[in-house]
Amino acid sequence: MNNPMNNIVATGFPKGAQSGTPTLDKGKDGYRPGTVPPAKSAAPSRLTRKRLLALEAELSDLDWQILGTICQCRAILGKQIRRLYFTDRTSKNANTTAANRRLKALSDLGLIAAVNRKVDCRSRGYVSYIYYLTEAGEHILQIHRHKPEVRKRNIEPSVATLAHTVSVAECYVLAVETCRGEDMKLTEIQLEPNCWRPYQGSYKNRILKPDLAIVTEKQDWMSHEEAWYELRWFIEVDLNTEDIQTIIGKCRRYYEYYKSDIEQRLHDDVFPLVAWIVKTEARKHSLIRHIRETFPQYPRIFAVILPDEFTGMLRDELDMEGCLCPV
């Protein structure tokens, strides 16, 4: 399976990594909630509140779903939007045409825009745009959701941040696609910052920051007593940009959170499996080895998998014995 998590390449983006002291409202990938890169748009850069109120009445339910998803993901590929919301046409080309038409309409209204460079996913030469909400898009969602109307300052993310964000969005899309079958239900999916978990560790208030939290239910055809069983995950996407010891430090924070017993008290003594998604077999074996050597006597709450194994893990059909760690 050709997967953007596995081989995404960003080309030609402006430089501009985040700097400064992290704050509680700043994600670990360098975004502040609601921040986006600048890009050209055919629509005016500012839309008045009166115009936004008029537009609110004109937008369809599908438009609101698309805007909400882009807001959740912060940045998402056009073809990922197509896979989420345009699947009922007679062909893939028809779905792509419908998705592009809808995205262009929202862009012409000034509610979304594309990053002013492209992302090459190396999928038969396919090049896709990354879409994000404009300031007007953020504002109209605030109006529609009856949230405080706060103007958000745009901060340009780095190339690595965009690649990571699109890869997390791919996990989101794959989870939705996987649970479209009759034997699976996607009961909960949270992106940052909704998936963050506050806890107290080493006598300090801390926040655990997964990339994604997923809860599914799967039908057990062999069981006559309990037809459905629940599965929980914290997802971490690793694009081989972090040092192994940085990842081990994150694993320590997961164990701190595990020992806090917060998650277990909420969910019948169940702690989610923490799945690290890595790009290569070499990275997978290296991370498994480091986790096993660092935490030999700890509970087995980690799994390290490749992108192509993600769907099998969600479906509970992947042989996890070689992926779980520590031993």
Side-chain angles (χ1 to χ4, degrees), residues 264-275:
Q264 295 92 313
R265 288 198 301 269
L266 291 172
H267 305 296
D268 297 326
D269 207 32
V270 172
F271 189 83
L273 181 67
V274 183

mmCIF file with all atom_site columns, all heavy atoms in Angstrom, residues 264-275:
data_model
loop_
_atom_site.group_PDB
_atom_site.id
_atom_site.type_symbol
_atom_site.label_atom_id
_atom_site.label_alt_id
_atom_site.label_comp_id
_atom_site.label_asym_id
_atom_site.label_entity_id
_atom_site.label_seq_id
_atom_site.pdbx_PDB_ins_code
_atom_site.Cartn_x
_atom_site.Cartn_y
_atom_site.Cartn_z
_atom_site.occupancy
_atom_site.B_iso_or_equiv
_atom_site.pdbx_formal_charge
_atom_site.auth_seq_id
_atom_site.auth_comp_id
_atom_site.auth_asym_id
_atom_site.auth_atom_id
_atom_site.pdbx_PDB_model_num
ATOM 1  N N   . GLN A 1 264 ? -7.206  4.095  33.369 1.00 0.00 ? 264 GLN A N   1
ATOM 2  C CA  . GLN A 1 264 ? -7.781  2.818  33.810 1.00 0.00 ? 264 GLN A CA  1
ATOM 3  C C   . GLN A 1 264 ? -9.061  3.021  34.612 1.00 0.00 ? 264 GLN A C   1
ATOM 4  O O   . GLN A 1 264 ? -10.006 2.252  34.494 1.00 0.00 ? 264 GLN A O   1
ATOM 5  C CB  . GLN A 1 264 ? -6.752  2.036  34.632 1.00 0.00 ? 264 GLN A CB  1
ATOM 6  C CG  . GLN A 1 264 ? -5.519  1.599  33.840 1.00 0.00 ? 264 GLN A CG  1
ATOM 7  C CD  . GLN A 1 264 ? -4.384  2.608  33.917 1.00 0.00 ? 264 GLN A CD  1
ATOM 8  O OE1 . GLN A 1 264 ? -4.613  3.804  33.745 1.00 0.00 ? 264 GLN A OE1 1
ATOM 9  N NE2 . GLN A 1 264 ? -3.181  2.140  34.183 1.00 0.00 ? 264 GLN A NE2 1
ATOM 10 N N   . ARG A 1 265 ? -9.092  4.070  35.441 1.00 0.00 ? 265 ARG A N   1
ATOM 11 C CA  . ARG A 1 265 ? -10.297 4.333  36.234 1.00 0.00 ? 265 ARG A CA  1
ATOM 12 C C   . ARG A 1 265 ? -11.468 4.735  35.353 1.00 0.00 ? 265 ARG A C   1
ATOM 13 O O   . ARG A 1 265 ? -12.630 4.457  35.676 1.00 0.00 ? 265 ARG A O   1
ATOM 14 C CB  . ARG A 1 265 ? -10.019 5.424  37.272 1.00 0.00 ? 265 ARG A CB  1
ATOM 15 C CG  . ARG A 1 265 ? -9.121  4.985  38.422 1.00 0.00 ? 265 ARG A CG  1
ATOM 16 C CD  . ARG A 1 265 ? -9.243  5.944  39.600 1.00 0.00 ? 265 ARG A CD  1
ATOM 17 N NE  . ARG A 1 265 ? -8.888  7.306  39.253 1.00 0.00 ? 265 ARG A NE  1
ATOM 18 C CZ  . ARG A 1 265 ? -7.675  7.830  39.354 1.00 0.00 ? 265 ARG A CZ  1
ATOM 19 N NH1 . ARG A 1 265 ? -6.670  7.083  39.804 1.00 0.00 ? 265 ARG A NH1 1
ATOM 20 N NH2 . ARG A 1 265 ? -7.447  9.083  39.021 1.00 0.00 ? 265 ARG A NH2 1
ATOM 21 N N   . LEU A 1 266 ? -11.181 5.377  34.253 1.00 0.00 ? 266 LEU A N   1
ATOM 22 C CA  . LEU A 1 266 ? -12.237 5.834  33.357 1.00 0.00 ? 266 LEU A CA  1
ATOM 23 C C   . LEU A 1 266 ? -12.769 4.726  32.459 1.00 0.00 ? 266 LEU A C   1
ATOM 24 O O   . LEU A 1 266 ? -13.916 4.787  32.000 1.00 0.00 ? 266 LEU A O   1
ATOM 25 C CB  . LEU A 1 266 ? -11.719 6.990  32.483 1.00 0.00 ? 266 LEU A CB  1
ATOM 26 C CG  . LEU A 1 266 ? -11.425 8.315  33.184 1.00 0.00 ? 266 LEU A CG  1
ATOM 27 C CD1 . LEU A 1 266 ? -10.750 9.280  32.216 1.00 0.00 ? 266 LEU A CD1 1
ATOM 28 C CD2 . LEU A 1 266 ? -12.705 8.933  33.730 1.00 0.00 ? 266 LEU A CD2 1
ATOM 29 N N   . HIS A 1 267 ? -11.934 3.703  32.185 1.00 0.00 ? 267 HIS A N   1
ATOM 30 C CA  . HIS A 1 267 ? -12.279 2.731  31.143 1.00 0.00 ? 267 HIS A CA  1
ATOM 31 C C   . HIS A 1 267 ? -12.090 1.293  31.614 1.00 0.00 ? 267 HIS A C   1
ATOM 32 O O   . HIS A 1 267 ? -11.408 0.490  30.949 1.00 0.00 ? 267 HIS A O   1
ATOM 33 C CB  . HIS A 1 267 ? -11.455 3.002  29.876 1.00 0.00 ? 267 HIS A CB  1
ATOM 34 C CG  . HIS A 1 267 ? -11.570 4.405  29.355 1.00 0.00 ? 267 HIS A CG  1
ATOM 35 N ND1 . HIS A 1 267 ? -12.753 4.929  28.889 1.00 0.00 ? 267 HIS A ND1 1
ATOM 36 C CD2 . HIS A 1 267 ? -10.651 5.403  29.268 1.00 0.00 ? 267 HIS A CD2 1
ATOM 37 C CE1 . HIS A 1 267 ? -12.555 6.185  28.511 1.00 0.00 ? 267 HIS A CE1 1
ATOM 38 N NE2 . HIS A 1 267 ? -11.297 6.499  28.733 1.00 0.00 ? 267 HIS A NE2 1
ATOM 39 N N   . ASP A 1 268 ? -12.679 0.969  32.747 1.00 0.00 ? 268 ASP A N   1
ATOM 40 C CA  . ASP A 1 268 ? -12.732 -0.425 33.219 1.00 0.00 ? 268 ASP A CA  1
ATOM 41 C C   . ASP A 1 268 ? -11.359 -1.082 33.266 1.00 0.00 ? 268 ASP A C   1
ATOM 42 O O   . ASP A 1 268 ? -11.161 -2.209 32.786 1.00 0.00 ? 268 ASP A O   1
ATOM 43 C CB  . ASP A 1 268 ? -13.667 -1.254 32.327 1.00 0.00 ? 268 ASP A CB  1
ATOM 44 C CG  . ASP A 1 268 ? -15.099 -0.758 32.383 1.00 0.00 ? 268 ASP A CG  1
ATOM 45 O OD1 . ASP A 1 268 ? -15.517 -0.294 33.467 1.00 0.00 ? 268 ASP A OD1 1
ATOM 46 O OD2 . ASP A 1 268 ? -15.788 -0.814 31.351 1.00 0.00 ? 268 ASP A OD2 1
ATOM 47 N N   . ASP A 1 269 ? -10.397 -0.359 33.841 1.00 0.00 ? 269 ASP A N   1
ATOM 48 C CA  . ASP A 1 269 ? -9.054  -0.885 34.063 1.00 0.00 ? 269 ASP A CA  1
ATOM 49 C C   . ASP A 1 269 ? -8.287  -1.168 32.765 1.00 0.00 ? 269 ASP A C   1
ATOM 50 O O   . ASP A 1 269 ? -7.364  -1.985 32.730 1.00 0.00 ? 269 ASP A O   1
ATOM 51 C CB  . ASP A 1 269 ? -9.109  -2.152 34.915 1.00 0.00 ? 269 ASP A CB  1
ATOM 52 C CG  . ASP A 1 269 ? -7.818  -2.363 35.694 1.00 0.00 ? 269 ASP A CG  1
ATOM 53 O OD1 . ASP A 1 269 ? -7.176  -1.362 36.066 1.00 0.00 ? 269 ASP A OD1 1
ATOM 54 O OD2 . ASP A 1 269 ? -7.439  -3.532 35.914 1.00 0.00 ? 269 ASP A OD2 1
ATOM 55 N N   . VAL A 1 270 ? -8.664  -0.479 31.683 1.00 0.00 ? 270 VAL A N   1
ATOM 56 C CA  . VAL A 1 270 ? -7.998  -0.663 30.392 1.00 0.00 ? 270 VAL A CA  1
ATOM 57 C C   . VAL A 1 270 ? -7.135  0.551  30.091 1.00 0.00 ? 270 VAL A C   1
ATOM 58 O O   . VAL A 1 270 ? -7.601  1.692  30.187 1.00 0.00 ? 270 VAL A O   1
ATOM 59 C CB  . VAL A 1 270 ? -9.026  -0.867 29.264 1.00 0.00 ? 270 VAL A CB  1
ATOM 60 C CG1 . VAL A 1 270 ? -8.342  -0.861 27.903 1.00 0.00 ? 270 VAL A CG1 1
ATOM 61 C CG2 . VAL A 1 270 ? -9.790  -2.166 29.470 1.00 0.00 ? 270 VAL A CG2 1
ATOM 62 N N   . PHE A 1 271 ? -5.871  0.297  29.710 1.00 0.00 ? 271 PHE A N   1
ATOM 63 C CA  . PHE A 1 271 ? -4.988  1.368  29.244 1.00 0.00 ? 271 PHE A CA  1
ATOM 64 C C   . PHE A 1 271 ? -4.767  1.179  27.752 1.00 0.00 ? 271 PHE A C   1
ATOM 65 O O   . PHE A 1 271 ? -4.493  0.060  27.290 1.00 0.00 ? 271 PHE A O   1
ATOM 66 C CB  . PHE A 1 271 ? -3.648  1.333  29.976 1.00 0.00 ? 271 PHE A CB  1
ATOM 67 C CG  . PHE A 1 271 ? -2.781  2.543  29.700 1.00 0.00 ? 271 PHE A CG  1
ATOM 68 C CD1 . PHE A 1 271 ? -2.967  3.722  30.404 1.00 0.00 ? 271 PHE A CD1 1
ATOM 69 C CD2 . PHE A 1 271 ? -1.791  2.500  28.718 1.00 0.00 ? 271 PHE A CD2 1
ATOM 70 C CE1 . PHE A 1 271 ? -2.183  4.841  30.146 1.00 0.00 ? 271 PHE A CE1 1
ATOM 71 C CE2 . PHE A 1 271 ? -1.004  3.611  28.450 1.00 0.00 ? 271 PHE A CE2 1
ATOM 72 C CZ  . PHE A 1 271 ? -1.205  4.788  29.173 1.00 0.00 ? 271 PHE A CZ  1
ATOM 73 N N   . PRO A 1 272 ? -4.869  2.249  26.947 1.00 0.00 ? 272 PRO A N   1
ATOM 74 C CA  . PRO A 1 272 ? -4.702  2.095  25.494 1.00 0.00 ? 272 PRO A CA  1
ATOM 75 C C   . PRO A 1 272 ? -3.314  1.574  25.128 1.00 0.00 ? 272 PRO A C   1
ATOM 76 O O   . PRO A 1 272 ? -2.320  1.875  25.791 1.00 0.00 ? 272 PRO A O   1
ATOM 77 C CB  . PRO A 1 272 ? -4.900  3.526  24.971 1.00 0.00 ? 272 PRO A CB  1
ATOM 78 C CG  . PRO A 1 272 ? -5.657  4.228  26.043 1.00 0.00 ? 272 PRO A CG  1
ATOM 79 C CD  . PRO A 1 272 ? -5.205  3.632  27.339 1.00 0.00 ? 272 PRO A CD  1
ATOM 80 N N   . LEU A 1 273 ? -3.255  0.799  24.058 1.00 0.00 ? 273 LEU A N   1
ATOM 81 C CA  . LEU A 1 273 ? -1.968  0.402  23.497 1.00 0.00 ? 273 LEU A CA  1
ATOM 82 C C   . LEU A 1 273 ? -1.358  1.618  22.806 1.00 0.00 ? 273 LEU A C   1
ATOM 83 O O   . LEU A 1 273 ? -2.025  2.298  22.025 1.00 0.00 ? 273 LEU A O   1
ATOM 84 C CB  . LEU A 1 273 ? -2.150  -0.725 22.486 1.00 0.00 ? 273 LEU A CB  1
ATOM 85 C CG  . LEU A 1 273 ? -0.877  -1.260 21.839 1.00 0.00 ? 273 LEU A CG  1
ATOM 86 C CD1 . LEU A 1 273 ? -0.010  -1.977 22.870 1.00 0.00 ? 273 LEU A CD1 1
ATOM 87 C CD2 . LEU A 1 273 ? -1.204  -2.207 20.686 1.00 0.00 ? 273 LEU A CD2 1
ATOM 88 N N   . VAL A 1 274 ? -0.096  1.904  23.092 1.00 0.00 ? 274 VAL A N   1
ATOM 89 C CA  . VAL A 1 274 ? 0.608   3.035  22.486 1.00 0.00 ? 274 VAL A CA  1
ATOM 90 C C   . VAL A 1 274 ? 1.331   2.523  21.246 1.00 0.00 ? 274 VAL A C   1
ATOM 91 O O   . VAL A 1 274 ? 2.293   1.753  21.355 1.00 0.00 ? 274 VAL A O   1
ATOM 92 C CB  . VAL A 1 274 ? 1.606   3.669  23.463 1.00 0.00 ? 274 VAL A CB  1
ATOM 93 C CG1 . VAL A 1 274 ? 2.273   4.891  22.816 1.00 0.00 ? 274 VAL A CG1 1
ATOM 94 C CG2 . VAL A 1 274 ? 0.920   4.054  24.767 1.00 0.00 ? 274 VAL A CG2 1
ATOM 95 N N   . ALA A 1 275 ? 0.863   2.928  20.076 1.00 0.00 ? 275 ALA A N   1
ATOM 96 C CA  . ALA A 1 275 ? 1.430   2.427  18.820 1.00 0.00 ? 275 ALA A CA  1
ATOM 97 C C   . ALA A 1 275 ? 2.324   3.483  18.185 1.00 0.00 ? 275 ALA A C   1
ATOM 98 O O   . ALA A 1 275 ? 1.844   4.566  17.814 1.00 0.00 ? 275 ALA A O   1
ATOM 99 C CB  . ALA A 1 275 ? 0.316   2.037  17.855 1.00 0.00 ? 275 ALA A CB  1
#
